[in-house]
Amino acid sequence: MKTIQHWINGSPADGTDTAPVFNPATGAEQARVVLGSAADVDAAVTAAARAFETWSESSLTQRTQVMFAFRQLLVEHEEELGRIISAEHGKTVDDARGEITRGREVVEFACGLGDVLKGSFSDQVSRGIDVHNFRQPLGVVAGITPFNFPAMVPLWMHPMAIATGNTFILKPSERDPSAANFVADLYKQAGLPDGVFNVVHGGKDAVDAILTHPGIEAVSFVGSTPIAKYVHETATSHGKRVQALGGAKNHAVVLPDADLEFAANHITAGAYGSAGERCMAVAVAVAVGDAADRLAGILERKAREVKVGPGDTPGTEMGPLVTKAAQERVENAVGTAATQGATVVVDGRGLKVDGHEEGFFTGPSLLDHVTTDMDAYKEELFGPVLAIVRADSLDQAIDLINANPYGNGTALFTASGEAARRFQRNIHVGMIGINVPVPVPMSYYSFGGWKDSLIGDNPIHGPEGIRFYTRPKVVTTRWPQQAQQVSAGFNFPTSN
Ligand code: NAD
């Protein structure tokens, strides 16, 4: 059986312990992945620190040229990488290609680094004195990423870090690790020097070694909220700069004036696409006023139409869940919802896909009359379960969303500009869609939620990403002419 190895200093590197990697569509173990130890992390830090000595001295032109070449390779290998992702994650190949495209956009942003990284200059702030600033890389930085976007989420991080002159260690999810090694090879083909991009596989041991290693300057994390809190606390207490993005429970509000067919279409895709395993998935439809019964009827029809099957079969709209444990957790949650009084309008439990009876499939589930005290509302289910909650007014819907501990994404479906403006100004959520169900910002904006969806205050990519992976210097300069010697004062310097 194939063993997926680390990638350190430009080459595959072995490990001792291994864990299984499954094909979610068949339920079969298809590979083993090495589980990194503290020694493996240390080897990666040593390689990355050595590479930093030269990479941080390379020119902006050289760094962006690597990014241009890397971007082209991502285009050429999109189908291949999409199939690798689909085989380990379960999502459809087209959906995987979508995540590669959105990740590639961050590379494109990094290609324009020359403009974004420009400092500023102030002439003659005092007589004969000018001030300018510029930013420099941090050193060795690390990224710890979740299973649900094995290409895109790491791509939110490493192009930004590498283009700004840092060297990078990726610790991807142990459930779908192959995309990371594929990307490492593309970087090598693009001309990135060895040691600038490294991959250490594994779970908690590898993560803990990263969080506490004195040679790592900054840690970027994306995953569930409890682990985001742990990572933030541990890494900051070890003196590191931290980005820590957590979980989500995203609401889509539907007002009675919305085109309900349009709203239901988009909510269905946002809820069941990638089997609900997206941090921006629509988990709750908040139906306002008399939109509720009509919306519920259309959502039911659309949920029943979703085509479930293996991710590599053309025509499939929704694949399996990532693991058997995830399948069981989601199906138990639907059972608990029924026990707690929700109406199970569409029941996805027990779905069998012909020829793939051992796959980790569950069908789309639609729950109606869900209330905010039910587990189905409170927990992040991270599966194909859409809950309908009813509200009397837009203001009540806003209050409901603001009371939720998460604040990643949200959407409003309406024909009213006034309602849209009130919603976007009053909602306590970081990423908002108006008639857009999954409002993932473009790479030149930053990505990040509020409240428990982002621990600390560092969003990811865009201008915030540049700031995160660099630190500023401000230089105050005087070049006195011999004839104009200025006397030195003992008082604190002020302008004149
Ligand atoms: P996870 O938190 O279980 O794992 C994330 C990473 O942390 C993985 O690399 C994993 O190996 C590591 N990890 C897991 N348990 C650990 C532990 N006890 N100690 C140290 N490290 C540990 O998340 P997941 O299940 O892979 O991904 C799904 C979660 O990620 C969901 O909550 C989803 O909302 C969230 N997510 C958030 C965003 C966002 O942008 N906010 C994006 C994608 C996913």
Side-chain angles (χ1 to χ4, degrees):
M1 185 170 291
K2 181 177 145 195
T3 300
I4 299 153
Q5 297 182 304
H6 306 306
W7 179 273
I8 297 175
N9 206 27
S11 308
D14 221 345
T16 36
D17 292 342
T18 60
V21 177
F22 292 94
N23 177 338
T26 62
E29 184 178 327
Q30 57 175 332
R32 307 283 303 179
V33 60
V34 292
L35 295 175
S37 62
D40 297 325
V41 169
D42 193 52
V45 174
T46 303
R50 202 177 319 116
F52 180 73
E53 289 172 17
T54 44
W55 185 244
S56 60
E57 290 297 320
S58 63
S59 68
L60 256 177
T61 306
Q62 186 187 349
R63 282 183 265 141
T64 49
Q65 272 171 357
V66 170
M67 286 297 148
F68 273 105
F70 177 55
R71 182 218 171 258
Q72 186 56 30
L73 289 164
L74 281 171
V75 172
E76 287 164 14
H77 294 275
E78 184 179 289
E79 166 88 23
E80 198 181 349
L81 180 54
R83 289 191 178 278
I84 288 170
I85 293 169
S86 172
E88 291 183 354
H89 176 285
K91 66 175 72 176
T92 67
V93 174
D94 283 346
D95 189 31
R97 294 181 73 155
E99 78 159 278
I100 297 164
T101 302
R102 295 307 304 267
R104 197 177 69 225
E105 288 167 3
V106 180
V107 184
E108 288 159 6
F109 181 72
C111 288
L113 192 72
D115 189 45
V116 186
L117 206 56
K118 277 193 301 214
S120 49
F121 183 93
S122 299
D123 172 61
Q124 192 81 339
V125 298
S126 186
R127 284 173 185 279
I129 293 186
D130 306 325
V131 175
H132 73 279
N133 70 348
F134 61 100
R135 304 189 71 93
Q136 289 186 312
L138 304 179
V140 179
V141 300
I144 301 162
T145 53
F147 81 86
N148 64 322
F149 285 110
M152 182 184 76
V153 169
L155 278 162
W156 286 351
M157 305 171 180
H158 51 74
M160 306 293 294
I162 290 172
T164 49
N166 301 277
T167 54
F168 196 87
I169 299 169
L170 174 62
K171 205 303 285 173
S173 171
E174 61 276 43
R175 293 180 223 161
D176 44 14
S178 291
N181 290 38
F182 190 84
V183 163
D185 188 53
L186 294 189
Y187 264 133
K188 193 170 174 113
Q189 291 179 45
L192 191 73
D194 291 346
V196 177
F197 180 78
N198 307 276
V199 180
V200 175
H201 291 291
K204 183 170 170 48
D205 288 349
V207 170
D208 285 346
I210 287 170
L211 302 182
T212 55
H213 198 294
I216 295 176
E217 299 294 329
V219 175
S220 302
F221 174 87
V222 176
S224 60
T225 294
I227 311 299
K229 287 183 174 167
Y230 170 73
V231 165
H232 189 266
E233 197 176 301
T234 312
T236 51
S237 73
H238 283 80
K240 301 181 199 322
R241 193 178 279 195
V242 182
Q243 287 173 323
L245 277 64
K249 191 82 178 178
N250 305 311
H251 301 67
V253 179
V254 183
L255 297 187
D257 67 3
D259 177 338
L260 295 188
E261 189 74 27
F262 174 90
N265 239 337
H266 285 268
I267 289 173
T268 302
Y272 304 124
S274 197
E277 292 172 320
R278 290 180 185 146
C279 65
M280 292 291 274
V282 179
V284 183
V286 186
V288 175
D290 65 7
D293 287 340
R294 287 180 294 147
L295 181 72
I298 311 175
L299 286 173
E300 175 181 356
R301 172 166 48 84
K302 297 203 176 291
R304 293 192 191 284
E305 287 169 3
V306 175
K307 297 185 190 69
V308 183
D312 60 358
T313 300
T316 296
E317 292 173 318
M318 186 182 117
L321 290 172
V322 67
T323 57
K324 185 149 196 66
Q327 178 198 35
E328 287 170 359
R329 178 175 47 74
V330 168
E331 297 207 337
N332 287 340
V334 174
T336 306
T339 317
Q340 293 181 343
T343 309
V344 182
V345 181
V346 180
D347 190 343
R349 289 175 294 177
L351 177 92
K352 290 285 171 219
V353 172
D354 282 349
H356 292 76
E357 285 74 11
E358 300 305 315
F360 309 141
F361 290 96
T362 189
S365 288
L366 179 65
L367 310 175
D368 199 356
H369 301 285
V370 173
T371 51
T372 54
D373 55 346
M374 293 180 188
D375 291 344
Y377 178 78
K378 290 190 289 191
E379 289 171 10
E380 182 186 28
L381 302 182
F382 221 57
V385 182
L386 176 64
I388 303 174
V389 175
R390 289 152 189 254
D392 293 335
S393 64
L394 173 60
D395 289 338
Q396 198 186 72
I398 291 172
D399 289 346
L400 182 145
I401 296 171
N402 287 350
N404 191 286
Y406 295 110
N408 213 40
T410 189
L412 176 69
F413 288 88
T414 184
S416 160
E418 186 282 324
R421 186 168 188 274
R422 183 151 40 109
F423 183 75
Q424 70 200 34
R425 294 199 74 247
N426 295 331
I427 207 78
H428 299 171
V429 172
M431 295 172 284
I432 300 163
I434 305 297
N435 297 312
V436 173
V438 182
V440 176
M442 295 300 289
S443 63
Y444 33 89
Y445 288 86
S446 294
F447 185 107
W450 281 23
K451 303 189 282 184
D452 277 359
S453 295
L454 185 140
I455 314 303
D457 57 2
N458 290 312
I460 222 155
H461 73 58
E464 303 271 2
I466 301 282
R467 194 193 58 74
F468 181 78
Y469 290 121
T470 56
R471 55 186 140 222
K473 275 181 176 167
V474 181
V475 183
T476 304
T477 307
R478 170 159 54 204
W479 293 105
Q481 292 176 1
Q482 283 298 343
Q484 295 177 342
Q485 283 294 354
V486 187
S487 60
F490 277 68
N491 293 335
F492 197 68
T494 55
S495 300
N496 56 59

